[in-house]
Amino acid sequence: MNKIDREFHHFIDIFKNSTREQLLFQMKENFKLIPEETQKSIEDYFRKFSYWGKLDIQNGEFEELEIKADSFKEHLDDYVWLYDRLKDYRSKKLLLAIMCNWYQYDFRILDETIEKMYPDYFDLDIVKCSNDEVIVDLGAYIGDTIMAYLDMYGEDNYKKIYCYEITDEVFEFLKSNLGKYSNIECYKKAVGDRNETLFINESNVDASANTLSDNGSNEIQTVTIDEDIKEPITLIKMDIEGYEQKALLGCERHIKEEHPKLLISVYHNHEDIWKIPRMIDKMNSDYDFYLRNHGGPIFPTEITLLAIPKTK
């Protein structure tokens, strides 16, 4: 057993042999050991972005820690399942780094996993693309992912691209940035597990963090990819601020029938990291899984799951 395997199973043993209350107590103690400036930075971050729960030690608010403790106790088998399914040790070390960071605020291992060779999503050793690609970009923002794709694979290396974005001002930048390229369609629509009308919750921090809700004043049409795109798809990218699970359900027909490459953000809560691979595997078991990190060293963000069709 190598070092990464040993360290992963060491933490699994800790989680298995501790009660939920013991884990929560130890996480509180571990948090107190990091510099006060870093504590404040982490608490401020959770106040700005509500994905992970609240944390305010001085006022006795430990929701974020409680969610993590529940995740470790209730889904330990899912973490082990994912670790065993990951195809390389860069991915396994990243899963270990995320768990170490959540439990004991280990910034060193997380820092070691940050990717510097390739841009988000497009690891050339894993994501192989051709001029027959039909690409769906969910959370296209200003077109940065598609421009990275064109830079990495070439401007002639696709057949069709569909971009989905929900924010008005961002959508105008998206159309402007990609307007010179052929066979790219931009839709101002949200994507979920059913066709319905939802509402945009605008972030006070950045338009890229806008989310969806069942009520509000800013309506947005929401569609499923299965119904909105009829032609076969070869690649789907998702970064839609915690709505990835629902969007994935709305792609189930394409995943079952066409087996597209799936490049999905899995950091917007404490369950996507294991639950989204489980969902994909249930729809179509013929995928290999990889994890890549393009975030920072303090808290796991910009974590991408690469689900790649197995080589026949």
Side-chain angles (χ1 to χ4, degrees), residues 113-232:
T113 66
I114 297 172
E115 296 292 331
K116 297 180 173 64
M117 184 173 294
Y118 301 119
D120 286 9
Y121 309 108
F122 302 125
D123 185 320
L124 294 180
D125 292 313
I126 299 171
V127 184
K128 311 292 186 180
C129 295
S130 71
N131 57 12
D132 291 323
E133 300 296 333
V134 177
I135 300 169
V136 178
D137 185 356
L138 307 183
Y141 195 47
I142 61 172
D144 49 321
T145 299
I146 296 305
M147 289 187 286
Y149 175 90
L150 298 175
D151 178 57
M152 294 300 291
Y153 298 97
E155 295 182 6
D156 60 346
N157 216 41
Y158 69 94
K159 178 181 177 182
K160 187 71 176 275
I161 297 176
Y162 297 90
C163 296
Y164 290 76
E165 175 56 46
I166 65 172
T167 306
D168 286 331
E169 60 270 26
V170 171
F171 186 72
E172 295 306 314
F173 281 109
L174 172 66
K175 291 193 297 181
S176 175
N177 288 335
L178 300 182
K180 67 178 181 179
Y181 302 106
S182 62
N183 297 323
I184 297 182
E185 295 189 16
C186 298
Y187 298 136
K188 196 169 83 68
K189 300 176 183 178
V191 177
D193 59 344
R194 67 188 72 180
N195 293 336
E196 60 182 337
T197 298
L198 292 175
F199 301 87
I200 301 173
N201 287 329
E202 295 190 2
S203 168
N204 294 324
V205 181
D206 191 278
S208 66
N210 288 351
T211 57
L212 298 174
S213 69
D214 293 329
N215 52 68
S217 57
N218 191 357
E219 291 187 356
I220 186 77
Q221 180 188 1
T222 304
V223 299
T224 71
I225 293 302
D226 280 347
E227 294 190 28
D228 213 46
I229 300 178
K230 299 303 183 184
E231 68 176 306

Side-chain angles (χ1 to χ4, degrees), residues 81-87 92 281 285 287 289 310:
W81 174 87
L82 176 59
Y83 186 85
D84 290 340
R85 286 292 303 271
L86 292 171
K87 288 295 289 182
K92 291 175 186 287
D281 189 64
S285 62
Y287 275 97
F289 296 124
K310 292 180 181 180

Side-chain angles (χ1 to χ4, degrees), residues 30-46:
N30 292 338
F31 185 79
K32 294 174 184 176
L33 294 175
I34 64 178
E36 289 187 9
E37 183 178 350
T38 306
Q39 291 181 30
K40 185 178 184 301
S41 176
I42 292 172
E43 290 177 343
D44 287 345
Y45 189 75
F46 291 151

